[in-house]
Amino acid sequence: MKKRTISLLAAFVLMLALLAGCGDQGGSSGSSSQGEGSSATEKVTINVGGLKGPTGIGMVQLMDQDEQGATANDYNFTLMGDPQDMVGLISNGDLDVAAVPTNLAANLYKKTSGNVQMVAINALGNLSILERGDSIQSVEDLRGKTIYATGQGSNPEYVLDYILQANGIDPETDVNIVYLTEHSELATMMAAGEADIAMLPEPFVTTVLNKSEDVRVAVNLNDAWNQAAGDSGSQMALGCLIVRKDFLENNQEAFATFLQEYAESTNWVVEHVSDAAQLVGKYEIMDAAVAEKAIPNCNIVCLTGEEMKQAAEGFFQVLFQANPQSIGGGMPEEGLYYLGN
């Protein structure tokens, strides 16, 4: 009887252990894509938005690795042509992370009552002054000239005005700036010889240079910005990476992993231009042949923490002075910047 009692007791203990194990498994399988209650080995699904241009190029290796199942998280990527198409998707929670223009990040911070944070600068200046000829050697040489440009009422106009003013040139009286609506229209005009001086971004700069041997880059506006800014730390921070704050708070570990993988992707793109260009073409961000020549001039980076904040604040100050509404009506609050834990 004694031996039988011990055997029954052992069986009862074993049954309890098995039931406890099943209960743990049920709890982990019920976790959501928000990452709450997930096990150590479970991947979190993160919805990522990008633009078909320089701000989206840095993530192509991450896109490729995700396709191969080689990433720490599961990523759903959405690529768009117009930054404004992302506004609703971010505001309603369809996107968790997005690569957007920096001024859009500031506006979304206001629009969502602080539910958007900037986590990285991912693209610096990619604007250039093109010339048919060789009379323009510096910003000063633009005085008295007609400059065709795009982006009136947005970042390109504010950047050009800032650089001209920093060099003692009044944009209203010392030059004649003719604004067109589309980058592609101006690129066609420049390549066809219908304009002699033009301000364009990548990849349109590369497209024009490929089509016309008579056109050259006369002034790299990123270099001109840095000269004007001096040692202030301000940079032409055109593109950035943002995250929804509510998503971040519920998925800090998964997001930290994403940011590491994203940074590795941007570094890989810069160091492996030819291979990166093939992926840029694969994901239809831009033509692969154009991308191979354009990537080195797109200034793809991944600046985080205080370096990101310093670069962005100086850029926002220029936009605020030009047009406060371009960044939501006022300088962004400290809460915009995610500086890590």
Side-chain angles (χ1 to χ4, degrees):
M1 283 293 294
K2 186 176 182 180
K3 288 183 179 179
R4 185 177 178 186
T5 301
I6 293 172
S7 297
L8 288 172
L9 181 61
F12 180 68
V13 171
L14 178 61
M15 181 180 70
L16 288 176
L18 290 172
L19 287 173
C22 290
D24 288 343
Q25 290 175 4
S28 64
S29 64
S31 63
S32 70
S33 66
Q34 294 300 316
E36 296 172 344
S38 60
S39 66
T41 58
E42 185 178 4
K43 290 187 175 184
V44 174
T45 298
I46 301 179
N47 299 310
V48 183
L51 291 171
K52 294 185 177 183
T55 57
I57 290 176
M59 63 176 65
V60 292
Q61 190 205 31
L62 184 57
M63 295 172 68
D64 186 57
Q65 289 184 330
D66 177 68
E67 197 173 288
Q68 298 174 38
T71 53
N73 300 302
D74 284 328
Y75 302 116
N76 292 328
F77 290 94
T78 301
L79 293 175
M80 305 175 193
D82 187 346
Q84 292 302 318
D85 291 340
M86 287 193 182
V87 173
L89 296 178
I90 296 167
S91 299
N92 64 23
D94 287 340
L95 289 178
D96 304 313
V97 180
V100 300
T102 46
N103 65 313
L104 181 58
N107 278 286
L108 278 168
Y109 179 79
K110 302 270 189 181
K111 182 180 178 65
T112 62
S113 300
N115 194 34
V116 163
Q117 287 190 289
M118 181 188 297
V119 296
I121 297 297
N122 63 9
L124 298 176
N126 56 65
L127 292 163
S128 294
I129 299 292
L130 300 181
E131 183 197 13
R132 183 178 305 282
D134 60 0
S135 65
I136 308 299
Q137 303 297 327
S138 66
V139 175
E140 171 59 32
D141 294 332
L142 293 171
R143 188 184 298 274
K145 300 293 195 299
T146 293
I147 305 168
Y148 288 87
T150 55
Q152 187 173 24
S154 61
N155 287 356
E157 178 184 6
Y158 308 142
V159 166
L160 180 57
D161 285 357
Y162 168 70
I163 290 172
L164 290 173
Q165 290 166 350
N167 286 270
I169 299 174
D170 188 329
E172 297 292 331
T173 61
D174 295 336
V175 290
N176 178 32
I177 305 175
V178 179
Y179 281 100
L180 281 73
T181 303
E182 299 292 336
H183 299 319
S184 56
E185 179 186 4
L186 179 52
T188 299
M189 285 181 58
M190 195 69 190
E194 298 173 7
D196 292 327
I197 302 172
M199 178 183 72
L200 278 168
E202 289 290 359
F204 297 94
V205 168
T206 296
T207 299
V208 172
L209 295 178
N210 284 345
K211 291 182 178 180
S212 179
E213 296 181 356
D214 297 333
V215 178
R216 67 183 185 89
V217 174
V219 180
N220 180 310
L221 292 184
N222 194 60
D223 293 341
W225 177 288
N226 292 337
Q227 291 173 4
D231 58 1
S232 67
S234 167
Q235 299 188 61
M236 198 197 299
L238 294 179
C240 69
L241 195 70
I242 60 173
V243 63
R244 281 189 8 254
K245 188 176 180 180
D246 54 357
F247 173 84
L248 174 60
E249 289 174 346
N250 290 325
N251 300 275
Q252 292 192 16
E253 185 176 345
F255 180 75
T257 302
F258 160 78
L259 191 56
Q260 179 180 349
E261 290 185 319
Y262 178 82
E264 290 170 355
S265 179
T266 59
N267 291 336
W268 180 86
V269 166
V270 173
E271 294 171 2
H272 301 84
V273 172
S274 182
D275 292 336
Q278 295 306 308
L279 292 181
V280 169
K282 173 184 175 181
Y283 294 113
E284 300 181 349
I285 294 175
M286 67 177 69
D287 178 78
V290 172
E292 186 162 358
K293 293 183 178 180
I295 287 174
N297 302 318
C298 287
N299 287 311
I300 296 165
V301 296
C302 187
L303 307 181
T304 58
E306 289 293 340
E307 186 178 14
M308 166 198 70
K309 181 183 176 186
Q310 188 175 28
E313 283 184 329
F315 185 68
F316 285 143
Q317 187 63 48
V318 170
L319 299 188
F320 176 73
Q321 291 175 351
N323 179 7
Q325 295 307 314
S326 68
I327 53 172
M331 283 293 290
E333 300 171 2
E334 291 288 316
L336 171 65
Y337 307 104
Y338 174 73
L339 304 180
N341 296 326

